[in-house]
Amino acid sequence: MTIQPLSRDQIAQRVALDIEEGAYVNLGIGLPTRIANFLAPGKEIFLHSENGILGMGPAPEVGKEDDELINAGKEHVTLLNGGCFFHHGDSFAMMRGGHIDVCVLGAFQVAANGDLANWHTGAPDAIPAVGGAMDLAVGAKKVFVTMEHNTKKGEPKIVERCTYPLTGLACVDRIYTDLAVIDVTSRGLIVIEMAPGIDIQTLQNRTEAPLHYNS
Amino acid sequence: MTIQPLSRDQIAQRVALDIEEGAYVNLGIGLPTRIANFLAPGKEIFLHSENGILGMGPAPEVGKEDDELINAGKEHVTLLNGGCFFHHGDSFAMMRGGHIDVCVLGAFQVAANGDLANWHTGAPDAIPAVGGAMDLAVGAKKVFVTMEHNTKKGEPKIVERCTYPLTGLACVDRIYTDLAVIDVTSRGLIVIEMAPGIDIQTLQNRTEAPLHYNS
Amino acid sequence: MIDKTSLSMAQAISKVKDGSTIMIGGFGTAGQPAELIDALIEHGARDLTIVSNNAGNGDMGLALLIKEKRVRKMICSFPRQHDSWHFDTLYREKGIELELVPQGNLAIRIQAAGAGLGGVFTPTGYGTILADGKETREIAGKKYVFELPIKADIALIKALKGDRWGNLVYRKSARNFGPIMAMAAATTIAQVKEIVPLGSLDPEHVITPGIFVQHVTSVGV
Amino acid sequence: MIDKTSLSMAQAISKVKDGSTIMIGGFGTAGQPAELIDALIEHGARDLTIVSNNAGNGDMGLALLIKEKRVRKMICSFPRQHDSWHFDTLYREKGIELELVPQGNLAIRIQAAGAGLGGVFTPTGYGTILADGKETREIAGKKYVFELPIKADIALIKALKGDRWGNLVYRKSARNFGPIMAMAAATTIAQVKEIVPLGSLDPEHVITPGIFVQHVTSVGV
């Protein structure tokens, strides 16, 4: 059987399954933003945006965009009935103060101990930009990461130690890639799901850090 | 000529003269609260109350009291057109953060260097209570003190060093008593006004710290 | 469907355990959640640490809780009031511990807890006996005292209206400590005069976003 | 009578001096006080330190100010955007200094300045290169970085409505940094869509009390 890696939408869909009703959730820019599309419509889940929104709704209809109602990725959004606005101080109190239940972030690398690198490649000519990632990494009750399992060059992104500049230390709880879902625990990385067609050895070959399985 | 000490209302009236239009002012409990009665009606002055009011107005008419509209002394007040409400965090940011132009506090003692003691007699059986006095002492741009020049026993309240527990260090700018108005400066205490009938020597006799005069 | 208004006051207050730290909103009686305090008295929890600006008035509410010796420690700025006789008596008998905190330090320490800070340097209280034994530091020519956050297991607050997501608006100077205490407690229980349908609070006017509130309970009109 | 709406935009902006530190509200273009920035460009002040979440978009506003080399230093969290080419070019040429601050530390440092704190211990950034050389401390088992307040000479912010006492309300997610920057600057200039008569803003709905605002200037509808 050939390996059938999850598409980006399938990864988003998979993460959505793990978000419980009533959770306060911050979805990072990029792939994590798509998770909103897969949350069960019957579940009430509160989406937070760092720029001062709680109860964020889906993208507006064409022609109804409001430049003063945008998400952290500066895309147009809507506000649900029951949502509200607040300033940046209160917004980051929510994030830093442990009030957000789940955040989902993209990543360049995650280390076996949960260290996260997702803001800077360290390249000398790169323009650094960090935004709210470090606040979410330290502040959210659970930090989920979504990413491709390997770089375009085939290098592992789940590593022994991050080589890119860190976003936060030992902060990642769960990793969702196109090949697997992996928990970061005090006993190391534990694979809880694999993509169709992949076996343990192949997954390990594509992963720098040692993987474990619950027997 | 006999000494004609200022009444409490006259002291309040005298302080009112020194409050400029547009000033943000916090008036302490007791005598300072009375100053509001003597502010020129034509001057727009913004009264702040630590419990989350800016633009405080006079006492309400009898029968129109609202138990949720009170000042720091828990007396019923009103709100002026243009006033607003906010929480304790923002209220003390105004006080601690240097946004209040003038506060007027009562005092047990003021020292020659501007040290203020106004919250605790230090008596062993006293129930201590500090409220917002220490925040105003460090935070207001100008700290005015109103008090009787001497205690009921005739002891001086303007002293070399405070013997009561301090509220704030070197924080008082001007002292208004029934006998004089005195500036606290880097060159010491400078008398700028005296009550009718009192002379320099008599005022000094009633004051522990040395008094100076601008010649 | 998330409905934070579903528990009765007694059910909500049953989250309090012996030894809990409880923040109680209010400045004097304005904003004091009287019915929630009554439910707390009824509930019976003991050995409590109470964080509140004052230490109770008269014979009711917090004063009664103190009288019944259910409070091990008060953290407050202004315990002494003309009608704080229960606190006064117990304090003189050494039957209650007092941590006296300047009001603005009380506010900022509560805010620090809500915002996830480890501590702050505040100028308030520097050089006074209320800073005795505390770390001090000169920063840019001004003197500061290091203060730790104050967090709570439970906050009991009073608001005017709330909805099933926990959004709250307040009334006049009864707002006082409510919004910042809601942010600093693991579980915030708000008593409101009126529970309103979701969406009836203007999103621009919500003072406490629902994320900071776990239970909303109505005291009727 | 106090009328904070009496100055023209150019008169208000004339308070900016060469070398000033200026906070500019906005998250991307939402809440960015575009007309005030235009007035600042017109004004001609140089050698500025700008505190703002981003470093300008496209060829206008803050991006233009940067292009004209009027900004000595940017303090921001997210300079790199798809259209931040003027900042990017100047940064690569070492023509502009950058202090990169995690967004929540930017917020809390601004809040610390507004609230008169000497500094705070924040968990954000601990163990990262953005905390290099900074004091750290373990408090109650968690690691924190010491951060100093950021204050400004001037804040330029955008609100929806304002009155002659400086009270402001905002609109949707354009609120963002406005309220906290207003608190942290010696002089805050707010551009509003509409100046409204005193008393027409509900005292429960005012987001920025007038005490934090020195000038309100209308940009019309």
Side-chain angles (χ1 to χ4, degrees):
Chain A
M1 184 175 164
T2 55
I3 299 170
Q4 297 176 312
L6 274 62
S7 68
R8 288 169 62 83
D9 271 350
Q10 285 172 320
I11 297 174
Q13 198 166 7
R14 177 60 192 82
V15 178
L17 291 178
D18 289 345
I19 298 181
E20 293 181 5
E21 177 150 40
Y24 290 90
V25 179
N26 185 296
L27 301 175
I29 298 172
L31 196 161
T33 300
R34 297 195 193 187
I35 294 165
N37 302 333
F38 298 102
L39 296 170
K43 280 199 229 174
E44 286 191 338
I45 288 166
F46 306 106
L47 297 183
H48 170 266
S49 189
E50 67 190 24
N51 53 320
I53 311 174
L54 199 60
M56 201 165 41
E61 290 171 43
V62 174
K64 299 217 169 167
E65 299 87 354
D66 182 337
D67 288 345
E68 295 190 331
L69 185 47
I70 58 171
N71 66 13
K74 279 113 184 172
E75 299 160 327
H76 293 113
V77 295
T78 53
L79 188 75
L80 299 180
N81 213 27
C84 63
F85 303 110
F86 35 85
H87 62 52
H88 250 77
D90 284 345
S91 189
F92 278 82
M94 293 178 192
M95 295 158 73
R96 190 194 311 108
H99 305 280
I100 302 287
D101 295 301
V102 177
C103 78
V104 189
L105 297 168
F108 297 138
Q109 293 176 323
V110 177
N113 68 349
D115 285 357
L116 169 68
N118 84 341
W119 71 281
H120 192 13
T121 59
D125 70 331
I127 309 287
V130 63
M134 289 185 177
D135 300 278
L136 288 166
V138 299
K141 285 182 198 153
K142 290 217 177 281
V143 176
F144 292 169
V145 161
T146 60
M147 61 181 186
E148 308 295 315
H149 204 90
N150 298 102
T151 66
K152 290 197 178 103
K153 293 182 184 168
E155 293 155 340
K157 298 176 72 171
I158 301 173
V159 294
E160 291 278 12
R161 290 176 65 92
C162 294
T163 54
Y164 288 151
L166 294 181
T167 305
L169 274 61
C171 58
V172 176
D173 293 283
R174 182 170 279 189
I175 308 164
Y176 300 82
T177 76
D178 50 333
L179 299 183
V181 180
I182 299 170
D183 274 347
V184 181
T185 78
S186 54
R187 295 170 298 119
L189 299 172
I190 299 184
V191 178
I192 58 171
E193 287 172 30
M194 293 194 291
I198 196 165
D199 60 43
I200 290 180
Q201 191 51 55
T202 309
L203 188 66
Q204 184 64 74
N205 290 346
R206 296 204 182 181
T207 309
E208 182 187 296
L211 298 174
H212 305 275
Y213 294 80
N214 278 328
S215 48
Chain B
M1 185 175 165
T2 54
I3 299 170
Q4 298 175 313
L6 273 62
S7 68
R8 288 167 64 82
D9 271 349
Q10 285 172 319
I11 297 174
Q13 197 167 8
R14 176 61 192 83
V15 177
L17 290 178
D18 288 345
I19 298 180
E20 293 182 5
E21 176 149 42
Y24 290 89
V25 178
N26 186 296
L27 301 175
I29 298 173
L31 196 162
T33 302
R34 298 194 194 188
I35 294 166
N37 302 334
F38 298 102
L39 296 170
K43 279 199 228 173
E44 286 191 339
I45 288 166
F46 306 106
L47 296 184
H48 170 268
S49 189
E50 66 190 24
N51 53 321
I53 311 174
L54 199 60
M56 202 164 42
E61 289 170 45
V62 173
K64 300 218 168 166
E65 299 87 355
D66 182 337
D67 286 345
E68 295 189 331
L69 185 46
I70 58 171
N71 66 13
K74 279 111 183 175
E75 300 160 325
H76 293 112
V77 294
T78 52
L79 188 76
L80 299 180
N81 213 26
C84 63
F85 302 110
F86 35 85
H87 63 52
H88 250 77
D90 284 345
S91 189
F92 279 81
M94 292 177 193
M95 294 157 73
R96 192 196 308 107
H99 306 280
I100 302 287
D101 295 301
V102 177
C103 79
V104 189
L105 297 168
F108 297 139
Q109 294 176 323
V110 178
N113 68 349
D115 284 359
L116 170 67
N118 83 341
W119 71 282
H120 192 14
T121 59
D125 70 331
I127 309 286
V130 62
M134 289 185 177
D135 300 279
L136 287 166
V138 299
K141 285 181 199 153
K142 290 219 176 279
V143 176
F144 292 169
V145 161
T146 60
M147 61 182 185
E148 307 295 315
H149 205 89
N150 298 102
T151 67
K152 290 196 178 107
K153 292 185 186 168
E155 293 155 342
K157 298 176 73 171
I158 300 173
V159 293
E160 290 277 12
R161 289 176 66 93
C162 294
T163 54
Y164 288 150
L166 293 181
T167 305
L169 274 61
C171 57
V172 176
D173 293 285
R174 181 170 281 188
I175 309 164
Y176 301 80
T177 76
D178 50 333
L179 299 184
V181 180
I182 299 170
D183 275 345
V184 182
T185 77
S186 54
R187 294 171 296 119
L189 299 173
I190 299 184
V191 178
I192 59 171
E193 288 172 31
M194 292 194 290
I198 196 164
D199 61 45
I200 289 179
Q201 191 52 52
T202 309
L203 188 66
Q204 183 64 72
N205 291 345
R206 297 203 181 181
T207 309
E208 181 187 298
L211 299 174
H212 304 275
Y213 295 80
N214 278 327
S215 49
Chain C
M1 189 179 108
I2 295 301
D3 185 2
K4 297 183 179 180
T5 70
S6 62
L7 298 192
S8 71
M9 200 169 271
Q11 287 170 325
I13 215 82
S14 72
K15 315 235 156 175
V16 177
K17 308 266 175 278
D18 287 356
S20 286
T21 295
I22 304 181
M23 290 180 177
I24 299 182
F27 182 88
T29 54
Q32 200 178 74
E35 285 81 357
L36 280 171
I37 301 172
D38 287 347
L40 178 61
I41 292 170
E42 186 73 18
H43 168 55
R46 314 190 66 82
D47 194 29
L48 302 172
T49 295
I50 301 288
V51 182
S52 193
N53 190 58
N54 306 105
N57 302 76
D59 295 303
M60 292 163 52
L62 178 52
L64 182 56
L65 194 73
I66 288 170
K67 180 191 177 200
E68 294 200 351
K69 304 202 177 182
R70 306 262 291 280
V71 182
R72 184 178 62 75
K73 179 179 180 181
M74 276 300 313
I75 301 177
C76 70
S77 92
F78 211 86
R80 184 188 68 230
Q81 300 197 70
H82 71 91
D83 56 355
S84 59
W85 44 73
H86 291 307
F87 175 84
D88 298 2
T89 303
L90 214 54
Y91 179 76
R92 292 207 171 92
E93 290 172 358
K94 300 197 192 305
I96 192 166
E97 211 178 314
L98 170 66
E99 181 177 347
L100 189 74
V101 183
Q103 195 171 173
N105 285 357
L106 189 63
I108 200 73
R109 293 175 64 187
I110 292 169
Q111 289 183 286
L117 301 178
V120 301
F121 281 99
T122 167
T124 304
Y126 178 83
T128 76
I129 58 173
L130 297 187
D132 272 359
K134 296 192 173 185
E135 175 184 350
T136 61
R137 185 181 291 200
E138 185 170 326
I139 301 166
K142 195 166 167 176
K143 307 279 185 53
Y144 297 89
V145 182
F146 181 63
E147 292 284 356
L148 291 168
I150 301 176
K151 60 182 143 198
D153 301 301
I154 308 274
L156 306 180
I157 65 172
K158 178 183 181 178
L160 178 66
K161 299 180 190 179
D163 65 27
R164 68 178 176 83
W165 282 5
N167 295 307
L168 302 177
V169 298
Y170 301 81
R171 186 170 174 277
K172 302 191 177 180
S173 67
R175 185 185 301 188
N176 58 65
F177 282 94
I180 64 172
M181 287 181 169
M183 297 172 75
T187 299
T188 292
I189 308 173
Q191 68 169 65
V192 298
K193 206 161 175 181
E194 192 187 355
I195 292 171
V196 296
L198 198 69
S200 57
L201 299 177
D202 187 318
E204 304 283 3
H205 302 162
V206 168
I207 300 300
T208 294
I211 190 172
F212 299 126
V213 178
Q214 283 65 48
H215 302 289
V216 178
T217 168
S218 169
V219 294
V221 182
Chain D
M1 190 178 106
I2 295 300
D3 185 1
K4 297 182 179 181
T5 70
S6 62
L7 297 192
S8 72
M9 199 168 272
Q11 287 170 324
I13 215 80
S14 72
K15 316 235 155 174
V16 177
K17 308 267 176 280
D18 286 356
S20 286
T21 294
I22 304 181
M23 291 181 175
I24 299 182
F27 182 87
T29 54
Q32 201 179 76
E35 285 79 357
L36 279 171
I37 301 172
D38 288 348
L40 178 61
I41 292 170
E42 186 74 15
H43 168 56
R46 314 190 67 83
D47 194 30
L48 302 173
T49 296
I50 301 288
V51 182
S52 193
N53 191 57
N54 307 106
N57 301 75
D59 295 304
M60 290 163 53
L62 178 52
L64 183 55
L65 194 72
I66 289 169
K67 180 190 177 201
E68 294 200 350
K69 305 203 176 180
R70 306 262 290 279
V71 182
R72 185 178 62 75
K73 179 179 180 181
M74 276 300 313
I75 301 178
C76 70
S77 92
F78 212 87
R80 183 187 68 230
Q81 300 197 72
H82 70 92
D83 56 355
S84 59
W85 43 73
H86 291 307
F87 175 83
D88 299 2
T89 304
L90 215 54
Y91 179 76
R92 292 206 171 93
E93 290 171 358
K94 301 196 191 305
I96 192 165
E97 211 179 315
L98 170 66
E99 181 177 347
L100 189 73
V101 182
Q103 196 172 170
N105 286 356
L106 190 63
I108 200 73
R109 293 175 65 186
I110 292 169
Q111 289 182 286
L117 301 178
V120 301
F121 281 99
T122 167
T124 304
Y126 178 83
T128 76
I129 58 173
L130 296 188
D132 273 359
K134 295 191 174 184
E135 176 184 350
T136 62
R137 184 180 293 200
E138 186 171 325
I139 301 166
K142 195 165 167 177
K143 306 280 185 53
Y144 298 88
V145 183
F146 182 64
E147 292 283 358
L148 290 168
I150 301 176
K151 60 182 145 197
D153 301 302
I154 308 275
L156 305 180
I157 64 172
K158 179 183 181 178
L160 178 64
K161 297 179 191 181
D163 66 26
R164 68 177 175 85
W165 281 5
N167 294 308
L168 302 177
V169 298
Y170 300 81
R171 187 170 173 278
K172 301 190 177 181
S173 66
R175 187 185 301 187
N176 58 65
F177 282 93
I180 64 172
M181 287 181 169
M183 297 171 74
T187 299
T188 292
I189 308 172
Q191 68 169 64
V192 298
K193 207 160 172 180
E194 191 187 354
I195 292 171
V196 297
L198 198 69
S200 56
L201 299 176
D202 187 320
E204 304 283 1
H205 302 161
V206 168
I207 299 299
T208 294
I211 190 173
F212 299 125
V213 178
Q214 283 66 47
H215 303 289
V216 178
T217 166
S218 168
V219 295
V221 182

